[in-house]
Amino acid sequence: MTPDLQESGARARRAHEAKQAAQTGRTESGGREAAFGRLLQHGEPDFAHGVALYLEDITVSFDGFKALNALSLSVNVGELRCIIGPNGAGKTTMMDCITGKTRPDAGRAYFGSNIDLLRLSETAIAQVGIGRKFQKPTVYEALSVFDNLELALKADRRVRAAIGWRLSEAQRSRIDEVMTLIHLQRDAHRTAGLLSHGQKQWLEIGMLLMQEPKLLLLDEPVAGMTDEETERTAELFLTLEGQHSLVVVEHDMKFVDQLTQGRKTVTVLHEGRVLAEGLLSDVQRNEKVVEVYLGR
């Protein structure tokens, strides 16, 4: 249990779970039998304890293979956390569990101290403020950069609200702000399909930002980028740090070094659990990490 989650919060959570179990006949808060779509506290995550994401003993098995093996991890509010590890370490499965794509066999996953992610659908998890970027950029290539960001805008999309809907000045300003942030303001009217690979990655990140997420999960965001694009992406993420919590899964150690700046925590996964955690310089000297991941 992370020290940031105080005992009072834990007692309240256990009391809630006991009440839910009595009402539904369930004995655990997680697992594949979890009820989906019920938001606690009106869907607003409680960050009073300073924790944005909390995973405890998350286990996922596929045909007897444990992709995650009692994985425990916590990420603080506004923190930029880099996750590294060899292929097959469980990094993608971890993100799948956080976003509801995969249901763990056991364990707990909380957003803030009150949102039980294992009770929610993928859509509900996105709505409470968790955004995910996959390795391959997924943008609307036939539309302009501006139109992509407009489509991603956080707004009421129900039919009645959509009829006669127009962008407000505040919404236009927000789109302009995001385009500037992702270095695409000069390409506002350019068709997205004509952008470079790196620019498409930035556009997708911009589309996530239009949803106003509190937590961003970024899976190998600089794969295939040029050195200049990688450097600009590092600058972007450092700008987002503090305003959002970020979890960055990456293999590029130079990029990780740019993000962590010698003072931020890096988590190393191996065989579905945390192998080491600490400053990048520390984990790079860790004998176990060198043996299984970095090479001698």
Side-chain angles (χ1 to χ4, degrees), residues 206-222:
M207 293 170 72
L208 284 177
L209 293 176
M210 296 304 299
Q211 292 291 310
E212 301 175 15
K214 300 173 181 68
L215 171 64
L216 279 165
L217 306 177
L218 304 150
D219 195 354
E220 296 190 37
V222 297

Side-chain angles (χ1 to χ4, degrees), residues 171-221:
Q171 289 169 329
R172 286 186 180 275
S173 295
R174 176 57 180 162
I175 292 174
D176 287 341
E177 178 186 344
V178 170
M179 283 194 298
T180 300
L181 190 64
I182 60 176
H183 311 292
L184 291 178
Q185 191 172 39
R186 295 181 179 178
D187 298 286
H189 302 294
R190 191 178 183 190
T191 302
L194 299 178
L195 299 175
S196 70
H197 172 75
Q199 289 174 319
K200 288 178 183 177
Q201 298 278 37
W202 296 339
L203 177 56
E204 186 177 22
I205 292 169
M207 293 170 72
L208 284 177
L209 293 176
M210 296 304 299
Q211 292 291 310
E212 301 175 15
K214 300 173 181 68
L215 171 64
L216 279 165
L217 306 177
L218 304 150
D219 195 354
E220 296 190 37

